Amino acid sequence: MSDIAKAAKISRQALYLHFPNRAELLVATTRYLDEIHDIDAKLLKSRSAKNGIERLDAWVGVWGNHIPKIYGVAKALLAMKTSDEEARIAWNERMQAVRFGCAAAVSMLLAEGKLRDGLTELEATDILWTLMSVHNWEQLRYECHWSQSRYIKAMKILTKQALVSR
Amino acid sequence: MSDIAKAAKISRQALYLHFPNRAELLVATTRYLDEIHDIDAKLLKSRSAKNGIERLDAWVGVWGNHIPKIYGVAKALLAMKTSDEEARIAWNERMQAVRFGCAAAVSMLLAEGKLRDGLTELEATDILWTLMSVHNWEQLRYECHWSQSRYIKAMKILTKQALVSR
DNA sequence: AAGTCAACTTGACACGGTGTCAAGTAATGT
DNA sequence: ACATTACTTGACACCGTGTCAAGTTGACTT
C-alpha cells in the first residue's frame, strides 16, 4: 500500500480514503483495466462467430490476449486469496465470468454436435476453463519463456484437440 | 509457525531449533512426504513401460496421484513464493524435477516417432508440464469438484490428445 | 471577509506474523 | 558431580495492514 501511495504521490492514508482495503483496491483496478481495454466490446465481437470452432478460437484469442493486461493485478490478487477472504471472493467472481465465456463456446459446439465423444457440456467447460487459466498462461509465458503469440497459437490447437470431435 | 508448534506440542521457538525458517520447514516436509510415499519407487516402475504411450500414461498416473499427497505443503509453498525468495527457489527446484519426468515421457514418444506433428521435444515437454501442474489439479479437483479418479482419467486422455500423433 | 466542506496531510497506534536473543530447566550420559 | 542436549519462557525488533485524531489547504458559498 505504501508503495502504491508513493507511486500515486499521495500519502498512504489518503489511499484508505479511496479504498477501504488492499483487496478492494485491487478489484477496482481490475475493473478499471477491463474498462480501459474494452473487454466487453471484444467479447461481443467474438460472439458473432459463425460456428462453434470459430467461436472457440475467438474466445481463446480474446481472453488469452487479455490475460497479460490484467496479469499484474491478477498476480497480487492470487497471492492474497490464500489469506484474505475478500480477495478470494473477488477473484472467484472474476473467474466465474471467464467460466461463463468458456461455457458459451462449449455450448455452441454442443449445439452443432461437434463436442468430442464422452464429454459432457460441464466437463468440457471445466477443461476449457482450466486450460485458459491465468496460472497456465503464467507458466508457459514465464517459466517456459513462450512468446504471447506462441501461447495463443498453442492454446487454439490444444483446446480444439481437447474439445472438438473429429 | 505457532500453529505448527502447537500441533507438534513444542514451543514455537523449539521449531526454530530444527528449521531456520518457514521456507526450509516446508521444503523439508515435502522431502519427507516424498520419502514416506516412496515416489522414487513409483517413478522407477513407470520407467519400465514398454512404449511411449504407456509411459506417458504411467507418468500421468504416478505424478497425478502424488499431487494430493503433497498438496497441503505445496499450497503453503506456492503462497510463499511470491514474497519469499527461498520458497520460490525451493518450489522451482521441485518443479524442475517434475519437468524432468515429463521430458522423459516425451523423449520416448519422440524416439518412437509418435510425437504429434509440429511439436518440438521442448514444446511438448512444456505442454505436458503445464497440463500436469499442481494449479490445474487444484482447479479441477476443488473449483470444478472433480474426483481424483476423474482427474487422472481426463488427464490421460488430454495429454495423449495433445502430444501423441495419430 | 468569514465560513464551510472535501481532499488531503502528519503522526501515532494496535495487531498479527516472522525471526532473534537471553536465561533458565530437565533428562541423559560420562 | 558435570556437561551436553533438547527444550522452555519471555522479551523484543521488524514489517505490513488497517485505524484514529488533529491539523492544513484550496475552492466554493453567502
Side-chain angles (χ1 to χ4, degrees):
Chain A
M1 294 298 270
S2 54
D3 285 354
I4 292 168
K6 218 172 280 172
K9 284 175 188 163
I10 57 171
S11 67
R12 190 173 69 89
Q13 284 62 22
L15 220 49
Y16 284 100
L17 297 175
H18 295 275
F19 308 95
N21 52 50
R22 209 166 104 86
E24 294 219 3
L25 184 153
L26 291 174
V27 173
T29 309
T30 54
R31 273 197 254 282
Y32 173 72
L33 287 176
D34 286 356
E35 203 180 304
I36 284 223
H37 295 109
D38 219 351
I39 181 82
D40 288 338
K42 287 174 190 162
L43 283 176
L44 210 71
K45 232 173 112 189
S46 84
R47 245 170 254 149
S48 65
K50 62 177 181 293
N51 63 53
I53 293 176
E54 267 186 33
R55 176 144 189 185
L56 180 61
D57 263 4
W59 164 249
V60 169
V62 169
W63 171 242
N65 281 316
H66 191 58
I67 296 177
K69 288 165 188 163
I70 60 158
Y71 177 62
V73 198
K75 196 176 166 183
L77 222 36
L78 274 169
M80 276 189 83
K81 96 179 173 126
T82 33
S83 58
D84 186 304
E85 180 66 6
E86 206 183 339
R88 213 203 85 240
I89 291 167
W91 178 255
N92 282 2
E93 265 171 28
R94 294 208 30 85
M95 285 309 102
Q96 283 306 316
V98 172
R99 201 192 141 87
F100 192 77
C102 293
V106 166
S107 154
M108 195 160 173
L109 283 174
L110 181 70
E112 295 173 4
K114 286 208 171 147
L115 201 60
R116 194 165 206 116
D117 304 334
L119 276 184
T120 67
E121 187 171 4
L122 227 73
E123 258 176 336
T125 305
D126 288 342
I127 289 172
L128 178 55
W129 189 41
T130 301
L131 286 175
M132 296 306 296
S133 73
V134 172
H135 280 306
N136 280 354
W137 179 87
E138 185 182 36
Q139 175 143 345
L140 291 171
R141 204 67 192 34
Y142 292 126
E143 238 72 53
C144 302
H145 309 107
W146 285 27
S147 71
Q148 173 66 16
S149 65
R150 186 183 195 175
Y151 163 80
I152 293 289
K153 228 169 121 184
M155 275 302 162
K156 284 184 177 173
I157 296 172
L158 214 53
T159 51
K160 262 178 279 182
Q161 284 168 355
L163 304 182
V164 181
S165 65
R166 40 192 55 267
Chain B
M1 291 299 271
S2 53
D3 285 353
I4 291 167
K6 217 170 282 172
K9 285 176 185 161
I10 57 171
S11 68
R12 191 174 69 89
Q13 283 63 21
L15 220 49
Y16 284 100
L17 296 175
H18 295 275
F19 308 95
N21 52 51
R22 209 165 104 86
E24 294 219 4
L25 185 154
L26 292 174
V27 173
T29 308
T30 54
R31 273 197 255 284
Y32 173 71
L33 288 176
D34 286 355
E35 203 179 303
I36 283 222
H37 295 110
D38 219 350
I39 181 84
D40 287 339
K42 287 172 192 164
L43 283 176
L44 209 70
K45 233 173 112 188
S46 85
R47 244 170 255 148
S48 65
K50 61 177 182 291
N51 64 54
I53 293 175
E54 268 187 30
R55 176 147 190 182
L56 179 61
D57 263 4
W59 163 248
V60 169
V62 169
W63 171 242
N65 281 316
H66 191 58
I67 296 177
K69 289 166 187 162
I70 59 158
Y71 177 62
V73 197
K75 196 176 167 183
L77 221 38
L78 275 168
M80 276 190 83
K81 94 180 175 126
T82 33
S83 58
D84 186 304
E85 180 65 6
E86 206 183 339
R88 213 202 86 240
I89 290 168
W91 178 257
N92 282 2
E93 265 171 27
R94 294 210 28 86
M95 285 308 103
Q96 283 307 316
V98 172
R99 201 192 141 87
F100 192 76
C102 294
V106 166
S107 155
M108 195 160 173
L109 283 174
L110 181 70
E112 294 172 5
K114 287 209 170 144
L115 201 61
R116 194 166 205 116
D117 304 335
L119 276 184
T120 67
E121 188 172 2
L122 228 72
E123 258 176 336
T125 304
D126 289 341
I127 289 171
L128 179 56
W129 189 42
T130 301
L131 286 175
M132 296 306 298
S133 73
V134 172
H135 281 305
N136 280 354
W137 178 88
E138 185 182 36
Q139 175 143 343
L140 291 172
R141 204 67 194 30
Y142 293 126
E143 238 72 52
C144 303
H145 309 107
W146 284 28
S147 71
Q148 173 66 17
S149 66
R150 186 184 195 175
Y151 163 80
I152 294 289
K153 228 168 122 183
M155 274 302 161
K156 284 184 178 174
I157 295 172
L158 214 54
T159 52
K160 261 178 279 183
Q161 284 169 354
L163 303 182
V164 181
S165 64
R166 39 194 54 268

